[in-house]
Amino acid sequence: MESFSDFASAADSFIWSPYLLIPALIGTGIILTIRLGAIHLVKLGPALRLGLIDRNDDDAEGDITNYQALATALAATVGVGNIVGVATAIGLGGPGALFWMWVTGLLGMASKYSEAFLGVKYRQTDAAGEQSGGPQYYLRKAIPNGFGKTLGILFAVFAALAAFGIGNLTQGNAVASNLENSFDIDPTLSGMIMFILVGAALMGGIKSIGRITASFVPMMIVLYIGAAVWVLVANVSALPETFKLIFTDAFTGTAAVGGFAGSTLILALQMGVARGLFSNESGLGSGAIAAAAASTTHPVRQGLVSMTQTFIDTIIVVSFTGLVIISTGVWQDGNVDTGALTAEAFSRGLPGHWGGTIVTLSVVFFAFSTMLGWSYYGERAFESLVGRRGTGLYRAVFTCVVFVGAVTQLETVWSVASALNGLMALPNLIGLIVLSGLIARETKAYLEFDPQLRATAAEIDKWQSQQDFEAFSKN
């Protein structure tokens, strides 16, 4: 087992090294940002309005509203990575890791938009009459010959496996561990309860998942951010130095201070990008699977809604976690395990036992929602490989593994999960680069027609018919 653990750790380090996935992620984000005219910054306001206020495209084809698709994507991403992942990144990479998480988030918004756009454009109706889409479909459909098919199969295999790591074992284990440490609840009991709740939720498929996540995802985010604001107000005098540390250490690394071992620029970059992607999943391709189920009148509209998920996850939730850890100074405390930095920071900033309690409850809610979102991602990936008949089996196995994660020590799972994340991202990033011209052309055309995203379904149908006629006439 020790040799496998070493292998998993080595594979994870190589995949996330500055020689492979880090430049691929950042490079893809830069290319898409340029080709799309920084759409994620220019259209952020209308996109937030469409996703959070309007919430739905009337008379549109799909299984869930575009808000429910956003909530499902948020459910899958706002998980343990926002608490433990951020703590690990800062604990090992120093305050500068938060800067690189921001970079990953901002550039990742362009990647998230692009993959969601493609997810809707190339989605298809499955045997049950539901919408199926994601990289496993658009890579195969949009990229000709065997190359696209190979990329699509690789993504599906890695996604179906990765769901058990990032979206299951790590989440269930975090819930059980936190409940045991905070409330002395036996992990077996926690595992049984999660087994029942996850299984019940998955029986209803994406419609059930969409309703559940839409109801409690906003609540859990507001609770967590509210507690973080309290801590930051209590430590407001430390904020100027906190921001200084973040920006300076991003390029210089952190000298050893107290119990902190110190980090290099490369480690800050590596931890920031790796944990940033683990949190927001931009470029991973998973968000396109949820986007494909949305009731939307045009791929551009759902792409813009989906990109707000990365903004909320990284620029808001991750930022508050990182600022709390750095401003309270716990990142320098060598007596605190890196994974426990967030709980310790909240405990120091909130009265009584409220800090630990809020972090524990946040882990429970965040992790549970992530399990639901990733069960759908893995199921859709598996379905693309074996057909609709495999979805029931996948749900059953996924539900059972939730219990396994709660009662088992998972020494190597984080490395395996991180490595599989990277392997998922590679075929998707290649596809985004190859298809970037198509994405840019169709995005520009739609936004010239509907710059504020207020067109009705009838107006969009009329415009699209005209576009199709003009394209036919040219040929």
Side-chain angles (χ1 to χ4, degrees):
M1 183 54 126
E2 185 176 349
S3 60
F4 176 75
S5 178
D6 292 341
F7 171 77
S9 179
D12 181 39
S13 297
F14 172 73
I15 291 169
W16 287 102
S17 71
Y19 310 105
L20 185 58
L21 199 53
I22 289 178
L25 280 166
I26 294 177
T28 301
I30 292 173
I31 291 171
L32 291 171
T33 295
I34 294 172
R35 299 207 71 167
L36 291 168
I39 188 175
H40 53 294
L41 303 178
V42 176
K43 295 298 180 183
L44 179 59
L48 287 168
R49 188 208 73 235
L50 180 61
L52 300 179
I53 299 176
D54 297 345
R55 295 195 172 197
N56 192 32
D57 279 353
D58 295 328
D59 302 321
E61 182 182 6
D63 302 322
I64 55 178
T65 68
N66 48 29
Y67 169 71
Q68 289 174 333
L70 171 62
T72 300
L74 274 172
T77 57
V78 180
V80 175
N82 293 76
I83 297 176
V84 179
V86 177
T88 302
I90 295 173
L92 298 178
L98 182 58
F99 172 85
W100 293 111
M101 295 183 86
W102 288 340
V103 171
T104 303
L106 288 173
L107 294 176
M109 289 175 69
S111 300
K112 181 73 74 173
Y113 166 82
S114 300
E115 59 195 26
F117 170 92
L118 293 171
V120 174
K121 180 175 176 62
Y122 292 101
R123 66 186 178 182
Q124 62 187 45
T125 303
D126 66 14
E130 296 179 346
Q131 298 297 319
S132 289
Q136 68 272 34
Y137 292 104
Y138 65 67
L139 292 171
R140 174 168 50 87
K141 289 184 173 183
I143 300 176
N145 303 319
F147 183 53
K149 182 178 181 180
T150 300
L151 291 176
I153 292 174
L154 287 173
F155 175 87
V157 171
F158 293 138
L161 294 174
F164 290 104
I166 183 177
N168 193 322
L169 289 167
T170 58
Q171 309 294 332
N173 188 260
V175 169
S177 298
N178 276 269
L179 289 176
E180 182 179 26
N181 294 334
S182 298
F183 305 115
D184 199 28
I185 297 176
D186 190 291
T188 302
L189 178 60
S190 298
M192 291 177 62
I193 294 173
M194 285 189 288
F195 172 84
I196 294 170
L197 292 177
V198 170
L202 298 190
M203 287 178 63
I206 185 57
K207 294 182 180 179
S208 173
I209 293 172
R211 287 193 298 268
I212 293 171
T213 55
S215 64
F216 78 81
V217 165
M219 175 197 70
M220 72 182 191
I221 292 177
V222 169
L223 171 67
Y224 185 75
I225 290 177
V229 168
W230 182 304
V231 176
L232 293 178
V233 169
N235 293 276
V236 66
S237 62
L239 289 181
E241 181 63 21
T242 294
F243 281 101
K244 179 183 177 182
L245 279 171
I246 292 169
F247 286 101
T248 57
D249 291 358
F251 301 97
T252 63
T254 305
V257 179
F260 184 71
S263 74
T264 64
L265 164 60
I266 295 299
L267 187 56
L269 173 63
Q270 184 175 2
M271 293 305 302
V273 174
R275 297 307 177 190
L277 178 64
F278 190 90
S279 175
N280 62 53
E281 299 174 13
S282 295
L284 205 64
S286 54
I289 302 175
S295 299
T296 184
T297 50
H298 197 275
V300 168
R301 295 169 69 90
Q302 188 56 43
L304 289 168
V305 170
S306 294
M307 79 178 188
T308 65
Q309 171 261 310
T310 298
F311 176 80
I312 295 169
D313 176 275
T314 304
I315 307 304
I316 297 179
V317 181
V318 163
S319 293
F320 275 106
T321 301
L323 291 174
V324 166
I325 291 172
I326 299 168
S327 65
T328 55
V330 300
W331 65 280
Q332 300 178 85
D333 191 340
N335 296 319
V336 180
D337 180 73
T338 54
L341 288 177
T342 306
E344 179 63 23
F346 274 86
S347 295
R348 292 186 186 183
L350 294 174
H353 298 288
W354 277 105
T357 299
I358 287 177
V359 170
T360 296
L361 292 176
S362 296
V363 168
V364 171
F365 281 115
F366 286 6
F368 179 72
S369 69
T370 297
M371 290 182 215
L372 298 186
W374 267 93
S375 68
Y376 180 69
Y377 294 166
E379 172 191 315
R380 284 308 197 197
F382 191 66
E383 177 192 0
S384 72
L385 295 171
V386 303
R388 181 74 186 182
R389 66 185 181 278
T391 58
L393 173 63
Y394 192 90
R395 291 178 189 177
V397 174
F398 190 94
T399 305
C400 293
V401 172
V402 171
F403 179 80
V404 174
V407 299
T408 307
Q409 294 298 318
L410 307 174
E411 296 178 359
T412 63
V413 165
W414 276 99
S415 294
V416 173
S418 181
L420 285 171
N421 272 9
L423 291 173
M424 273 180 68
L426 285 172
N428 185 57
L429 293 173
I430 293 170
L432 292 180
I433 294 296
V434 172
L435 300 172
S436 60
L438 178 149
I439 300 167
R441 287 193 304 273
E442 296 200 8
T443 298
K444 180 181 178 182
Y446 182 84
L447 291 179
E448 287 177 350
F449 155 70
D450 183 23
Q452 294 304 314
L453 310 180
R454 294 188 182 276
T456 64
E459 291 170 340
I460 293 172
D461 284 342
K462 182 179 179 181
W463 172 82
Q464 189 63 61
S465 297
Q466 182 180 355
Q467 294 292 302
D468 294 340
F469 176 76
E470 292 176 357
F472 177 79
S473 299
K474 289 179 180 178
N475 294 329

